[in-house]
Amino acid sequence: MRTILVPVDFTSTTENAVRVAAEWAKTYGYQNIILLKTAGESEFDYLHIAEGHSFVNEESVNNLLQRTELLLDQLSSIVTEKSPEIKVSRILSDWALTRSINELLKDESSVELIILGSDDQTSATESFVSENIISIARTSPVKTLIVPNSYHYTPVKNIFIPCDINGIKRLERLFHHKSLIHKQDVHLSFLNINTREKEDENKKKELEDYIREHLTEIPSSIYYSHDENVINGILTFAATHEADLIIALPGKHSFLYYLASRSISEGIYQNTHQPVLILK
């Protein structure tokens, strides 16, 4: 049973991610959505410290459990109303979020995709899941879809793929999915951002030949742009070319590469329009 995993919390950001998951499952043939709720640090209001010992306020614990059940009921109904044929599973975990996900993936081999809600300017409150996006995306062995809070699902027709002209072999990860891409009747736009003024014409030809050799049956275009800030160049291109989805590959043109050394606001959190699919 092909499965999508959606970590959730009490914010509109993860509620929106569940809505997208329902649409995604219906479109791409997933049969199961797992809603994962963990005990985030912000929810330990019931834990008190006295004389070096901790004890639990039972009433607070019960209130939290009731809120959690109501949350999962609400999110489950979102899926069933959109796609009643899709099964919805619930998992509660006391472990940290990243560990909970990785432990679950060991037991649930059917999980093929994780969908994560990402805060943006429209988010009313900060999402606990959104705060952990980078660690989840880095450690997850399965592909991850990052969904901005303001994003509303639309059919994916134009896919934008930033690629590194010096690492074209990384495109092999995309080619593993080309049979699915071909079925969906999409157009691929490849972009190489050059941080220097001069382009390497031999490298450009190598990239073009490689893409055409492996994607003869899928419509595609190849673009080149100069920008000293790769992330800025990627987001500008995505906005002006009406991309429905950004696919992030490993290497210098990956969002995660830049998030390792730059502020989060310069990476995924600047992307307020398109979902980002990180391939593994």
Side-chain angles (χ1 to χ4, degrees):
M1 190 180 335
R2 300 183 66 213
T3 301
I4 296 174
L5 172 63
V6 188
V8 300
D9 54 35
F10 293 99
T11 65
S12 62
T13 297
T14 62
E15 178 180 329
N16 185 57
V18 171
R19 294 183 187 279
V20 173
E23 296 279 8
W24 202 270
K26 186 176 182 179
T27 302
Y28 296 105
Y30 289 87
Q31 295 84 35
N32 184 29
I33 294 177
I34 297 177
L35 304 177
L36 172 65
K37 179 69 180 68
T38 65
E41 291 182 8
S42 61
E43 293 160 14
F44 278 94
D45 297 331
Y46 54 83
L47 187 64
H48 303 275
I49 307 298
E51 299 180 358
H53 301 282
S54 63
F55 63 92
V56 175
N57 182 311
E58 185 175 354
E59 181 180 357
S60 297
V61 173
N62 289 335
N63 287 337
L64 178 59
L65 291 174
Q66 290 176 5
R67 287 180 63 216
T68 300
E69 285 300 319
L70 288 173
L71 171 70
L72 295 175
D73 286 343
Q74 175 191 352
L75 298 179
S76 297
S77 67
I78 290 174
V79 177
T80 53
E81 288 174 7
K82 175 62 65 175
S83 305
E85 73 280 5
I86 295 173
K87 177 184 177 183
V88 182
S89 307
R90 311 176 180 195
I91 294 180
L92 299 176
S93 174
D94 292 328
W95 287 334
L97 181 55
T98 302
R99 181 182 175 185
S100 296
I101 291 172
N102 289 326
E103 290 293 332
L104 186 151
L105 292 177
K106 292 178 184 178
D107 299 329
E108 298 283 349
S109 59
S110 62
V111 175
E112 299 182 16
L113 174 68
I114 300 173
I115 295 184
L116 302 173
S118 173
D119 287 335
D120 58 23
Q121 295 94 325
T122 65
S123 303
T125 55
E126 293 184 0
S127 164
F128 177 69
V129 171
S130 183
E131 291 175 358
N132 289 272
I133 279 180
I134 306 308
S135 61
I136 296 169
R138 281 186 176 278
T139 60
S140 167
V142 302
K143 58 185 178 289
T144 304
L145 182 69
I146 298 175
V147 179
N149 183 55
S150 58
Y151 170 75
H152 300 289
Y153 177 83
T154 57
V156 175
K157 295 299 180 183
N158 297 303
I159 299 178
F160 167 41
I161 306 157
C163 59
D164 184 357
I165 202 169
N166 295 309
I168 61 175
K169 290 291 185 181
R170 297 189 181 97
L171 287 170
E172 290 179 355
R173 304 198 184 201
L174 173 67
F175 300 150
H176 294 161
H177 304 277
K178 69 178 184 179
S179 60
L180 177 62
I181 292 172
H182 185 54
K183 291 178 183 177
Q184 298 300 322
D185 186 29
V186 300
H187 182 275
L188 306 181
S189 295
F190 295 89
L191 172 69
N192 178 78
I193 303 290
N194 185 23
T195 56
R196 301 177 181 179
E197 293 288 348
K198 189 176 180 180
E199 295 276 7
D200 187 327
E201 295 300 323
N202 291 329
K203 287 287 187 181
K204 287 172 64 175
K205 185 178 186 305
E206 184 181 355
L207 173 65
E208 291 164 9
D209 290 345
Y210 188 81
I211 290 174
R212 292 191 177 109
E213 176 186 354
H214 290 86
L215 293 172
T216 54
E217 70 277 31
I218 302 175
S220 62
S221 304
I222 304 172
Y223 299 87
Y224 302 92
S225 178
H226 167 71
D227 199 309
E228 294 180 358
N229 184 316
V230 173
I231 288 294
N232 181 66
I234 289 172
L235 296 179
T236 299
F237 182 92
T240 56
H241 286 75
E242 298 182 349
D244 301 311
L245 174 69
I246 301 173
I247 291 183
L249 298 167
K252 291 185 178 180
H253 283 57
S254 167
F255 282 90
L256 295 183
Y257 176 90
Y258 277 82
L259 288 172
S261 57
R262 301 191 179 201
S263 70
I264 288 179
S265 64
E266 288 191 353
I268 291 172
Y269 286 176
Q270 273 191 11
N271 172 54
T272 60
H273 302 291
Q274 303 90 354
V276 177
L277 179 64
I278 301 172
L279 298 184
K280 296 293 179 174

